[in-house]
Amino acid sequence: MTNIAYFKDQFEGLADDDSTDTIKELSKAAFENFNRSGLPTSKLEEWKYTNISSLFEKNYQFSKDNSQEELSYSALEALNLPGQNEANVLYFIDGRFMPGLSKIRSSEKELVILPLETAAAGPYQKIVKEHLGSSSKYLKDGLHALNTAFIQEGVFIYLPKGQQLELPLYLHHITQATTENIISQPRSLVYLAENSNLQLVETYTTLGSMESFSNEVIEIVLEERAFLAYYKLQNDGPNAAQLSSTQIHQIGKSYVQSLTISLNGGVIRNNLNLILDSPGNETHLYGLSLLKGKSHVDHHTLVDNKQPNCFSNQLYKGIANDTATGIFSGRIIVQPDAQKTNAYQSSKNIILSDLATINAKPQLEIFADDVKCSHGCTVGQLDEEAMFYLRARGIPLKSAESLLLQAFSSDILNQIKLEPLRKHVEQLILAHLASS
């Protein structure tokens, strides 16, 4: 069993590592917090619909230092996405950033990529000290603390002032579960300086038939007039469990577009927090889940409006078949100083099976009086009139269902601005629908 005592033994083994004082102090405080909090249970309101206790009945092992020796670059090419040859590509193997395998095509003036420990000890020390671990103010569960306690071989990504990066940045997370169950804990800190532009893509792959559990934390900070397009593609196997915690902090007036596509996997929990900390911030959050089998996908979003004249829009869609479970919990906070806030939230879902489940929990917490905020939720089946229309024109049942589900998904997919990635996702969805 992977329990607190096991993690304590592993943590004590980090005592002599070469991390900087900043990271060591942060890790120590986080492990003390983990000891107090323990693993989250379904008794907690935020984890009401997702019980992860069974995951920790499995004997997970931490990754080994020589993970990079087991995979060659030629083996990684099989995992390439369309358009990746015209992109910057970073690889994480078992949660560890691998500079030797990564391909940086942009110049150092355009894009700075460093091991997190190097950045914490060098010229970016101030940024790391101020922003690394800041997400713990919002993400207070034991799993977030566990990731921070075991920060090892993370990555620091920095866009200098004025850099409108043309090439997208791909982060591939690969877990080698070929001979034993593996727990990996990737950690990333991304900083977009004034008037910079980044397209960021994350993907996840488990190699092997053993169990994998990824406990990821990524923290992103945007200065004035920065632009972020952030795409997360989850298309792993049923033996892969994943907790992904993302915090995006807009410290200057900036623009964020975030899109999460969840197609395959075991138990998946996505925490996405947006902190709108400057007047005029704008953010758009999109999500699409196509669930089948026993998949369990839980989307938790938080938009904290701290300053006036901010705009946020959320649209999450889910399709559930077989015995799959989908959850959307969206929370909007409007602080007392955040007058003139416009915040919208919508969750739309289709159930294709009597055994599938959708749980939706939209929430508004408003402490200002001059705002426009709304939320809505729908859960239903395919439109019978539309089905009749298609069937009456000779379209077979399965094809008619697929056409309607593609139409249901289209307004989410159209938000993917990277054309090769969008076409790739469209093909994945077609294959997914054909096999359902």
Side-chain angles (χ1 to χ4, degrees):
M1 178 180 293
T2 312
N3 54 26
I4 292 179
Y6 171 78
F7 290 123
K8 184 177 181 181
D9 290 340
Q10 295 293 322
F11 183 75
E12 290 174 351
L14 300 178
D16 298 325
D17 69 6
D18 56 356
S19 298
T20 64
D21 290 341
T22 296
I23 293 180
K24 282 183 177 179
E25 291 172 6
L26 188 64
S27 297
K28 182 179 178 181
F31 194 76
E32 291 173 354
N33 184 25
F34 172 70
N35 267 329
R36 290 191 301 268
S37 303
L39 298 169
T41 70
S42 56
K43 293 181 180 180
L44 299 173
E45 182 64 26
E46 290 296 297
W47 289 84
K48 180 178 179 180
Y49 300 111
T50 300
N51 188 347
I52 62 169
S53 59
S54 62
L55 295 178
F56 289 89
E57 294 173 357
K58 302 165 184 175
N59 293 316
Y60 291 110
Q61 302 296 319
F62 276 78
S63 62
K64 299 180 179 64
D65 292 338
N66 62 348
S67 296
Q68 68 272 29
E69 298 175 2
E70 301 175 23
L71 278 177
S72 65
Y73 186 74
S74 59
L76 298 177
E77 288 183 337
L79 306 176
N80 283 0
L81 297 179
Q84 189 170 303
N85 291 332
E86 299 298 326
N88 300 293
V89 184
L90 308 185
Y91 288 100
F92 284 77
I93 309 295
D94 295 342
R96 299 171 183 267
F97 169 52
M98 297 296 169
L101 296 176
S102 301
K103 293 288 185 180
I104 311 301
R105 294 179 170 87
S106 298
S107 68
E108 292 184 4
K109 293 182 179 180
E110 296 176 296
L111 177 65
V112 176
I113 306 290
L114 293 172
L116 193 52
E117 292 82 357
T118 302
Y124 303 100
Q125 180 179 2
K126 183 178 178 182
I127 291 176
V128 174
K129 188 169 185 178
E130 182 177 357
H131 296 287
L132 183 66
S134 62
S135 55
S136 62
K137 298 175 184 177
Y138 289 87
L139 296 163
K140 299 181 181 297
D141 62 69
L143 284 173
H144 180 272
L146 187 67
N147 177 287
T148 303
F150 286 91
I151 293 179
Q152 278 188 298
E153 299 182 60
V155 68
F156 175 75
I157 300 168
Y158 179 80
L159 262 71
K161 180 179 178 180
Q163 290 302 325
Q164 304 289 311
L165 196 65
E166 294 184 3
L167 300 182
L169 176 62
Y170 283 75
L171 272 62
H172 284 295
H173 299 277
I174 301 167
T175 304
Q176 300 180 98
T178 52
T179 59
E180 56 188 1
N181 300 332
I182 295 293
I183 182 171
S184 61
Q185 303 199 88
R187 188 63 177 246
S188 308
L189 177 59
V190 183
Y191 194 94
L192 279 64
E194 182 180 338
N195 197 33
S196 60
N197 184 322
L198 176 65
Q199 298 177 90
L200 179 63
V201 181
E202 285 196 285
T203 71
Y204 306 84
T205 305
T206 296
L207 303 177
S209 58
M210 302 298 286
E211 301 283 338
S212 72
F213 177 59
S214 174
N215 179 26
E216 180 196 11
V217 175
I218 177 170
E219 295 164 313
I220 306 174
V221 183
L222 290 86
E223 288 188 354
E224 193 79 10
R225 296 189 303 281
F227 176 96
L228 172 68
Y230 175 49
Y231 308 113
K232 184 184 292 288
L233 177 58
Q234 297 171 320
N235 188 34
D236 211 339
N239 59 325
Q242 183 184 149
L243 170 64
S244 176
S245 296
T246 303
Q247 176 165 295
I248 302 175
H249 191 180
Q250 296 176 258
I251 61 175
K253 182 181 178 181
S254 51
Y255 180 96
V256 171
Q257 181 200 50
S258 171
L259 197 155
T260 302
I261 304 289
S262 304
L263 299 180
N264 287 311
V267 176
I268 297 175
R269 165 73 175 239
N270 293 314
N271 295 322
L272 176 58
N273 291 356
L274 269 292
I275 317 303
L276 281 59
D277 210 0
S278 180
N281 279 330
E282 182 173 347
T283 184
H284 298 262
L285 310 183
Y286 302 98
L288 177 64
S289 300
L290 275 72
L291 312 178
K292 62 181 180 178
K294 298 180 180 179
S295 291
H296 180 109
V297 176
D298 184 350
H299 293 288
H300 262 64
T301 67
L302 167 68
V303 177
D304 187 2
N305 297 272
K306 303 181 73 172
Q307 300 294 333
N309 297 298
C310 292
F311 176 83
S312 66
N313 177 53
Q314 299 181 61
L315 176 59
Y316 275 71
K317 290 190 171 185
I319 301 170
N321 204 352
D322 302 325
T323 60
T325 300
I327 298 118
F328 173 76
S329 178
R331 184 180 173 203
I332 296 173
I333 303 175
V334 182
Q335 303 289 0
D337 292 335
Q339 303 292 345
K340 304 293 184 182
T341 289
N342 286 342
Y344 305 96
Q345 182 186 92
S346 179
S347 172
K348 299 180 180 181
N349 306 277
I350 293 177
I351 292 181
L352 301 176
S353 163
D354 292 339
L355 300 178
T357 303
I358 294 288
N359 295 291
K361 186 183 177 184
Q363 305 165 74
L364 297 177
E365 298 179 23
I366 302 173
F367 303 98
D369 54 12
D370 187 8
V371 302
K372 292 181 181 179
C373 297
S374 66
H375 62 69
C377 170
T378 60
V379 180
Q381 298 175 324
L382 287 173
D383 186 275
E384 292 183 2
E385 289 187 8
M387 283 291 293
F388 177 80
Y389 178 87
L390 295 174
R391 296 298 308 281
R393 280 149 183 79
I395 298 176
L397 175 62
K398 291 296 182 181
S399 297
E401 289 179 348
S402 181
L403 286 171
L404 291 179
L405 293 175
Q406 289 176 56
F408 178 76
S409 308
S410 62
D411 54 346
I412 301 292
L413 298 181
N414 289 339
Q415 303 301 324
I416 303 177
K417 306 307 180 186
L418 287 172
E419 185 175 355
L421 179 65
R422 185 179 68 253
K423 290 183 177 180
H424 174 68
V425 173
E426 288 173 348
Q427 291 302 312
L428 290 176
I429 289 176
L430 285 174
H432 183 98
L433 295 175
S435 65
S436 296

